[in-house]
Amino acid sequence: MPVKIRLQRHGSKKRPFYFIVVADARAPRDGKFIQKLGTYNPQTSPATVQLDRQRSLEWLNKGAQPTDTVRKILSNKGVLYLKHLLRGVSLGLFDEATAMEKFQQWHTEHEAQFRKKQEDAMRARRAQRNPPYQRREQQRPAPAAPAAEEAGSEG
């Protein structure tokens, strides 16, 4: 029985919300599934993903194949990198403590980059909504001097 890790659509029309599930490849998209691994909400900015990393890793090791979108989500959350490191442990390239140390280092760097992108996006949205304050005097041209004063001061 081929098993896939894929998205199951929920939510109303034009407001999608997805469950990340393990399902038989022959089952319908929103039909029967084996296990729920997490959720994905593309409506938020940035998209929110809640995922059980350990269960996802177990299913990948059992041979479940992720769809393209789920593969990107798993890669972004570090599940595929963790699988890669644990494969190196099983081959005897390094021990499990080193693998977990490498993963933690990657995870902290990845989270810092994510937070920076999120803060930059927030700043851009705020700047777009609230342009900097400009004084009215700077926007209006200076008034011209009356012609009568100019004639009287010359003579």
Side-chain angles (χ1 to χ4, degrees):
M1 167 169 77
V3 177
K4 291 243 182 221
I5 301 175
R6 64 182 181 199
L7 298 176
Q8 188 179 53
R9 192 181 197 281
H10 290 273
S12 60
K13 182 177 176 182
K14 297 186 181 180
R15 302 278 299 162
F17 182 83
Y18 297 96
F19 289 155
I20 301 170
V21 297
V22 177
D24 182 4
R26 298 167 291 187
R29 179 192 73 177
D30 299 337
K32 187 177 174 182
F33 63 91
I34 300 169
Q35 189 174 28
K36 180 180 164 187
L37 300 178
T39 60
Y40 168 60
N41 185 2
Q43 293 291 314
T44 60
S45 180
T48 335
V49 177
Q50 293 177 343
L51 183 70
D52 187 341
R53 189 179 290 138
Q54 202 59 35
R55 281 195 285 174
S56 303
L57 188 61
E58 288 173 12
W59 277 105
L60 286 173
N61 287 333
K62 289 179 185 177
Q65 294 297 314
T67 59
D68 293 339
T69 308
V70 174
R71 180 176 294 279
K72 277 188 162 184
I73 292 171
L74 293 176
S75 177
N76 193 19
K77 287 295 180 179
V79 176
L80 295 180
Y81 183 58
L82 188 57
K83 180 183 178 201
H84 170 74
L85 290 173
L86 294 177
R87 172 90 169 123
V89 170
S90 67
L91 293 174
L93 300 175
F94 43 84
D95 60 343
E96 192 168 342
T98 308
M100 289 302 144
E101 182 181 317
K102 285 184 177 185
F103 179 73
Q104 286 301 324
Q105 181 183 0
W106 175 87
H107 189 269
T108 54
E109 290 172 4
H110 183 73
E111 286 297 316
Q113 288 175 354
F114 179 74
R115 282 194 198 98
K116 186 177 183 299
K117 282 183 184 179
Q118 195 173 15
E119 289 169 2
D120 290 345
M122 288 291 278
R123 277 193 215 107
R125 280 196 301 266
R126 283 187 191 137
Q128 190 176 23
R129 276 188 264 149
N130 302 324
Y133 177 72
Q134 295 177 349
R135 296 183 62 183
R136 289 185 181 182
E137 291 83 29
Q138 293 173 350
Q139 293 176 354
R140 295 182 187 161
E149 291 180 13
E150 290 178 13
S153 61
E154 290 178 20

